[in-house]
Amino acid sequence: MDNLSPRLSYPEFDGARNLKESSIVAIGILGIGSAYPDRILTNHDLEKMVDTSDEWIRTRSGISERRICDADTATSHMACDAGRKAIEDAGLKPEDIDLIVVATFSPDTLIPSTACWVMAKLNIPNCAAFDINAACTGWIYGVSTALGLMQNGLARHALVIGADAITKFVDFQDRATCVLFGDGAGAAVLGEVEQGRGFLSETLGADGRMGPNLMIPGGGSARPISQEVLDNREAYVKMQGNEVFKFAVRIMCDSLCGALSKAGLAPADLDWVIPHQANIRIIEGAIKRLDIPRERFIVNIERFGNTSAASIGIAMDEAVRDGRIKRGDLVGLVAFGGGLTWGAAVVRY
Ligand code: ACO
């Protein structure tokens, strides 16, 4: 037995121990990046596929077009592109990353995790890597998970990626869902920043009883892939849009206000709000209830649709690149999604 399990030494843990002893105080975003497919599917394209109209989609959801993966592109391809950009933006090298968290509900494979695919493809030599599934709240759950591990001394530089190739799980015969979603990835490298900057507070929540309102019923252990599952189109997203809508506006406001009050802040203190991009009417509802000027909301749903766990990362990357979000700005991030789940974070960028 001893021959089969040689004693291993773990030099990479030394850094983590040091980190714990020096008790890292502030963790922030060192670099960000995003990626999405080149292929654009417009509302007019969808008019040829299902009984819908550009007018219905724009007025009900705010979406004009979305990005769609081709057959050869999986979640990890977009996740790697976004992750590589975030590592470069942070001025780091792949070997500096010691934790990868990928938030996704559309993994390349059920096993290994997409995080492990990303680790291999980015040539990251030594790290912990795993996926989490909080659907569209994935980016916030991913960041919060990484923060907890970093605060416990288990990582110094975390690569957090929200990525979904959601259109692979969308039924392009179901007009109620296929018009809403798009593919993409948003990444952030987290690391130590000076006191007063970085993540100030987070909230997370879920109500599993509301799960059936948004699910992919087939393809898991409850309904493994079978001809019947395929014939019934059960391996695709099913959604009670109205139920999710009612819940979304309230929970977006409650969770963002919860995170703000934990940090001793008020909505008016925020320079920017980056909401999950699910529906422009949900975002408009949140703007009204939060009483924050509309121009402080980062919104790009018109061009991307709902990219699930990627949406906050893509929107943040765009706003940083075009100069809207600057270092030192106070940013509120808020999302809801399948589960149902929700979460918010406040970060001084
Ligand atoms: N084109 C034309 N008509 C349509 C379409 C379409 N694409 N889709 C539905 N309709 C029809 C319906 O059949 C219905 O017709 P009926 O009145 O004859 O029955 C009518 O339009 C109204 O349908 P509703 O579902 O009531 O429309 P609603 O105004 O609620 O908008 C929508 C639907 C856009 C889905 C909205 O409910 C919504 O955005 N919900 C939230 C979705 C969401 O945020 N999901 C989160 C996903 S996050 C994650 O974790 C993946």
Side-chain angles (χ1 to χ4, degrees):
M1 189 68 176
D2 275 342
N3 286 343
L4 293 176
S5 32
R7 289 181 67 83
L8 299 172
S9 67
Y10 297 102
E12 69 272 25
F13 282 6
D14 292 347
R17 267 203 301 275
N18 291 341
L19 188 64
K20 192 161 196 174
E21 278 154 20
S22 68
S23 74
I24 196 164
V25 276
I27 300 170
I29 298 175
L30 303 183
I32 55 172
S34 66
Y36 34 82
D38 293 333
R39 187 175 158 212
I40 294 173
L41 188 74
T42 66
N43 291 350
H44 296 295
D45 296 327
L46 282 161
E47 283 174 343
K48 294 172 200 141
M49 298 161 71
V50 286
D51 179 16
T52 190
S53 67
D54 172 54
E55 204 263 334
W56 192 96
I57 302 170
R58 274 189 296 102
T59 53
R60 296 294 177 117
S61 73
I63 301 166
S64 292
E65 59 185 43
R66 68 286 292 145
R67 301 300 180 114
I68 304 280
C69 285
D70 60 27
D72 297 331
T73 305
T75 297
S76 72
H77 298 111
M78 299 182 291
C80 282
D81 284 351
R84 192 178 293 111
K85 290 178 193 169
I87 294 169
E88 276 168 25
D89 190 45
L92 296 174
K93 297 197 165 60
E95 53 268 34
D96 297 320
I97 301 298
D98 43 23
L99 170 66
I100 304 174
V101 181
V102 174
T104 187
F105 75 86
S106 50
D108 288 31
T109 47
L110 289 182
I111 188 168
S113 67
T114 303
C116 287
W117 288 119
V118 168
M119 176 185 183
K121 290 177 185 179
L122 291 183
N123 285 320
I124 294 174
N126 264 321
C127 72
F130 60 93
D131 289 0
I132 59 161
N133 176 351
C136 299
T137 320
W139 211 86
I140 309 262
Y141 266 73
V143 163
S144 300
T145 304
L147 290 175
L149 292 171
M150 294 171 84
Q151 280 150 356
N152 275 299
L154 284 163
R156 188 178 291 275
H157 293 123
L159 175 61
V160 179
I161 309 174
D164 272 307
I166 184 170
T167 64
K168 308 251 180 184
F169 298 88
V170 161
D171 184 352
F172 279 96
Q173 294 182 13
D174 175 13
R175 68 177 184 174
T177 51
C178 74
V179 301
L180 300 174
F181 299 105
D183 300 326
V189 171
L190 310 187
E192 190 165 7
V193 293
E194 67 265 27
Q195 185 77 301
R197 267 192 53 214
F199 285 91
L200 306 180
S201 62
E202 305 86 49
T203 54
L204 298 178
D207 185 347
R209 293 166 303 180
M210 295 180 77
N213 288 308
L214 176 49
M215 66 187 293
I216 300 177
S221 57
R223 294 279 292 155
I225 288 286
S226 65
Q227 196 54 51
E228 191 189 352
V229 163
L230 295 176
D231 291 346
N232 293 341
R233 309 186 78 75
E234 290 176 64
Y236 293 123
V237 171
K238 311 280 177 205
M239 186 172 71
Q240 305 301 321
N242 264 321
E243 292 305 312
V244 180
F245 192 100
K246 280 188 264 171
F247 153 90
V249 176
R250 178 181 59 78
I251 209 67
M252 293 260 273
C253 299
D254 289 356
S255 50
L256 185 57
C257 289
L260 282 164
S261 84
K262 270 171 91 175
L265 295 163
D269 295 322
L270 292 171
D271 295 304
W272 300 104
V273 180
I274 308 182
H276 168 51
Q277 317 276 314
N279 185 315
I280 193 64
R281 292 185 293 141
I282 293 173
I283 297 173
E284 303 282 4
I287 291 171
K288 232 188 240 163
R289 282 177 72 145
L290 286 164
D291 199 22
I292 298 174
R294 196 192 192 291
E295 54 277 15
R296 290 196 210 163
F297 279 72
I298 308 283
V299 178
N300 64 7
I301 187 170
E302 191 193 353
R303 288 173 290 117
F304 291 100
N306 179 348
T307 55
S308 187
S311 84
I312 287 181
I314 294 175
M316 181 181 249
D317 189 39
E318 278 201 337
V320 168
R321 307 257 158 259
D322 68 21
R324 275 174 293 170
I325 297 182
K326 297 186 178 53
R327 283 289 174 199
D329 283 356
L330 192 64
V331 186
L333 314 169
V334 60
F336 66 93
L340 296 181
T341 55
W342 59 88
V346 179
V347 60
R348 190 165 291 286
Y349 177 66

